[in-house]
Amino acid sequence: MELADLRIFTEPQQGATYDTLLAVAQRAEQLGYGAFFRSDHYLKMGDVDGLPGPTDAWITLGAIARETSTIRLGTLVTAATFRMPGPLAISVAQVDEMSNGRVDFGFGAGWFEGEHTAYGIPFPGLGERFDNLEEQMAIIHGLWNTPEGETFSYDGDVWQVADSPALPKPVQAGGPPIIVGGRGKSRTPKLAATYASEFNMPFVSRDVFESQCAVVRDACESADRDPSTMTWSAALVACVGADEAEFERRAAAIGREPGEVRENGAAGTPEQVAETIRAWQESGAERLYLQILDLDDLDHLNLIAEAVAPLI
């Protein structure tokens, strides 16, 4: 695993301006990280004030696309409950064009009821949300893959599309790589096997990661897809210090106990974090998303790139 296989993952709903996100993305690009990702949430979580308030994922990424040139950009993950499939396909295709083909598209059913009620977004039951996700995925994939000059139609139980010109097309042929993730045992693996270029498991143990990836591999084989065509990734909270004192200071800054974050994240001194990353690689992770919670601490990005990456 190299630095380009490490991706910076941010949670702006916890409190971040656009300028803060841009600074993180630009520093990550300068250092050589593989991608800048953000969550797609409209409400803060936990004991933070969330100020100045949420930002829209695709508006943010479109702006960052014009202020960067090489780093990939994406979401973990866009919520299907937030948007209709046709307009979402247009938005993501437009950001792909604005970035000259640097978008990855993480897509999920949506899960946080509080943000839906806070901003007037319908929040149906889990089964309905997955029905919605499956049909949106089929529509977005269909729109992106319809040849120019032809039209796309879809007659589903949730969504209907009639004679769409299926425009605009993304820069990336067939559309941006799709990322699917989660612990579901049937519908999630089938969606991943059908549409995804990457399967992601966020914030779980290596045992859970290995067992869920095995389920997705089985789904790939059932769909006559070679599992080796899937990229396997995980997300971990990152908290690194040049020494133990600096690690403890960074853990306190994000409200985490040093022992807990070391056990559950990519945390500790550079040598310890490199060991953790190597262990995840042995479990089959080909790519890691490092969740950076203190977005004002750009030196943290430098330390990981300069002191951790050479050891992995």
Side-chain angles (χ1 to χ4, degrees):
M1 194 176 291
E2 300 177 350
L3 181 58
D5 300 311
L6 302 181
R7 296 182 157 193
I8 298 302
F9 174 40
T10 64
E11 299 272 7
Q13 78 280 353
Q14 299 300 89
T17 65
Y18 167 74
D19 285 341
T20 299
L21 294 176
L22 177 61
V24 174
Q26 290 178 328
R27 179 68 61 89
E29 179 174 75
Q30 292 164 4
L31 291 168
Y33 288 93
F36 169 86
F37 269 61
R38 59 157 293 161
S39 60
D40 188 20
H41 285 298
Y42 290 138
L43 193 67
K44 62 100 172 177
M45 303 167 195
D47 189 22
V48 297
D49 58 29
L51 295 176
T55 51
D56 183 86
W58 288 102
I59 290 175
T60 300
L61 292 176
I64 291 174
R66 306 304 293 176
E67 299 290 344
T68 56
S69 58
T70 59
I71 196 165
R72 295 194 67 82
L73 306 169
T75 53
L76 281 182
V77 292
T78 292
T81 48
F82 289 174
R83 301 165 180 88
M84 295 178 287
L88 179 56
I90 291 170
S91 295
V92 177
Q94 183 178 11
V95 178
D96 198 50
E97 188 275 331
M98 294 167 75
S99 67
N100 194 28
R102 291 185 283 124
V103 163
D104 287 3
F105 178 49
F107 199 31
W111 63 269
F112 185 18
E113 184 173 7
E115 65 188 342
H116 291 74
T117 57
Y119 286 95
I121 304 167
F123 187 74
L126 181 61
E128 290 182 62
R129 296 202 306 277
F130 263 90
D131 291 342
N132 177 39
L133 174 64
E134 288 174 345
E135 292 199 10
Q136 289 213 33
M137 193 83 80
I139 291 168
I140 292 169
H141 183 268
L143 291 169
W144 287 344
N145 285 274
T146 297
E148 288 190 18
E150 298 183 17
T151 60
F152 174 78
S153 296
Y154 181 89
D155 187 16
D157 294 328
V158 181
W159 300 98
Q160 297 78 43
V161 176
D163 299 324
S164 173
L167 297 172
K169 299 298 184 201
V171 170
Q172 298 176 89
I178 292 173
I179 304 169
V180 171
R183 301 191 191 202
K185 295 303 180 184
S186 57
R187 299 179 80 171
T188 295
K190 184 178 179 181
L191 271 178
T194 303
Y195 298 108
S197 298
E198 178 180 337
F199 182 75
N200 177 266
M201 284 294 287
F203 313 118
V204 298
S205 68
R206 287 195 292 122
D207 287 344
V208 171
F209 173 80
E210 291 173 10
S211 63
Q212 185 66 355
C213 288
V215 173
V216 176
R217 286 189 181 91
D218 289 343
C220 288
E221 292 171 354
S222 296
D224 293 324
R225 174 179 176 179
D226 182 353
S228 69
T229 63
M230 185 81 75
T231 297
W232 308 93
S233 67
L236 300 168
V237 176
C239 183
V240 188
D243 53 30
E244 190 68 19
E246 186 174 75
F247 161 61
E248 292 179 0
R249 177 182 64 76
R250 283 200 165 105
I254 62 173
R256 303 290 285 264
E257 290 296 325
E260 178 275 325
V261 73
R262 181 179 268 129
E263 179 179 356
N264 296 310
T269 63
E271 294 79 8
Q272 292 165 341
V273 173
E275 182 178 356
T276 296
I277 291 173
R278 289 194 297 269
W280 275 93
Q281 190 172 17
E282 290 172 4
S283 292
E286 301 169 298
R287 178 177 291 160
L288 288 177
Y289 292 79
L290 301 180
Q291 185 190 50
I292 304 298
L293 294 175
D294 184 353
L295 299 181
D296 294 317
D297 185 4
L298 297 182
D299 289 341
H300 194 195
L301 302 188
N302 288 57
L303 180 66
I304 296 169
E306 294 166 3
V308 176
L311 301 178
I312 60 177

